[in-house]
């Protein structure tokens, strides 16, 4: 979402929420799979924590979808994640998480009501936290 699209915020929100539900669910599955390749128990636990966070984001977006549309979000068929080599996967996730930080931050800025602002702001913070912690996995620092 571009900041200049704020005027028509609600027009595309249900479709964006469905996209976010799919993305966050997919990310959760990705982290679960990546945790299997973790190099140590602490990294594995962090990746599983990320998986839980992403699943929680999807749940929050489902609740918002229901509140806005009055309907349950349709279940989406997702492909199993294709996780590349461990180091490459970490690099890809750093880019993805930083993109989500910006995406949800922009949603927070544009959202016209406090509940949505808070939802997207808090989601963006968690995505930023994931990105930062992933860099420590790449460098081998814990």
């Amino acid at each position: 979402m571009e900041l200049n699209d704020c005027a028509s915020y609600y027009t595309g929100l249900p479709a964006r929420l469905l996209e976010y539900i799919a993305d966050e669910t997919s990310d959760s599955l990705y982290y679960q799979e990546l945790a299997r390749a973790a190099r140590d128990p602490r990294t594995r636990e962090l990746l599983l924590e990320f998986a839980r966070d992403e699943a929680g984001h999807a749940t929050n977006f489902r609740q918002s979808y229901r509140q806005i549309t009055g309907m349950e979000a349709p279940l989406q068929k997702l492909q199993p994640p294709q996780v590349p080599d461990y180091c490459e996967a970490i690099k890809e996730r750093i880019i993805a998480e930083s993109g989500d930080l910006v995406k949800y931050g922009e949603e927070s800025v544009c959202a016209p009501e406090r509940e949505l602002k808070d939802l997207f702001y808090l989601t963006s913070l968690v995505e930023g936290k994931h990105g930062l912690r992933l860099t420590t996995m790449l460098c081998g620092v814990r």
Side-chain angles (χ1 to χ4, degrees), residues 70-82:
M71 300 180 300
E72 294 294 326
L75 294 177
Q76 300 166 333
K77 180 140 173 88
L78 299 173
Q79 297 297 324
Q82 300 298 313

Side-chain angles (χ1 to χ4, degrees), residues 41-101:
R42 174 70 178 132
T43 300
R44 183 176 299 105
E45 185 50 43
L46 274 174
L47 292 168
L48 291 173
E49 176 186 318
F50 295 174
R52 290 187 297 270
D53 290 343
E54 302 292 359
H57 296 162
T59 297
N60 293 340
F61 294 145
R62 276 190 196 88
Q63 290 171 347
S64 291
Y65 183 89
R66 184 174 45 257
Q67 290 172 338
I68 290 166
T69 66
M71 300 180 300
E72 294 294 326
L75 294 177
Q76 300 166 333
K77 180 140 173 88
L78 299 173
Q79 297 297 324
Q82 300 298 313
V83 180
D85 163 74
Y86 180 79
C87 287
E88 189 59 34
I90 297 295
K91 291 176 190 176
E92 287 178 7
R93 293 311 310 158
I94 291 168
I95 299 299
E97 294 289 355
S98 63
D100 287 349
L101 167 70

Side-chain angles (χ1 to χ4, degrees), residues 12-141:
L13 184 58
R16 289 194 311 277
L17 286 170
L18 290 175
E19 176 187 323
Y20 300 161
I21 292 165
D23 289 349
E24 297 298 309
T25 302
S26 179
D27 291 351
S28 178
L29 296 172
Y30 192 98
Y31 281 124
Q32 290 173 35
E33 188 66 29
L34 187 56
R36 292 188 181 111
R39 296 177 173 173
D40 59 77
R42 174 70 178 132
T43 300
R44 183 176 299 105
E45 185 50 43
L46 274 174
L47 292 168
L48 291 173
E49 176 186 318
F50 295 174
R52 290 187 297 270
D53 290 343
E54 302 292 359
H57 296 162
T59 297
N60 293 340
F61 294 145
R62 276 190 196 88
Q63 290 171 347
S64 291
Y65 183 89
R66 184 174 45 257
Q67 290 172 338
I68 290 166
T69 66
M71 300 180 300
E72 294 294 326
L75 294 177
Q76 300 166 333
K77 180 140 173 88
L78 299 173
Q79 297 297 324
Q82 300 298 313
V83 180
D85 163 74
Y86 180 79
C87 287
E88 189 59 34
I90 297 295
K91 291 176 190 176
E92 287 178 7
R93 293 311 310 158
I94 291 168
I95 299 299
E97 294 289 355
S98 63
D100 287 349
L101 167 70
V102 171
K103 173 177 66 180
Y104 297 134
E106 288 178 347
E107 285 280 1
S108 177
V109 168
C110 290
E113 61 188 67
R114 173 60 47 203
E115 187 174 333
L116 284 172
K117 282 185 176 298
D118 290 349
L119 169 65
F120 287 117
Y121 176 73
L122 294 173
T123 302
S124 74
L125 290 179
V126 173
E127 301 293 356
K129 176 183 79 172
H130 291 173
L132 288 171
R133 289 186 175 173
L134 284 162
T135 62
T136 67
M137 291 174 201
L138 189 61
C139 299
V141 177

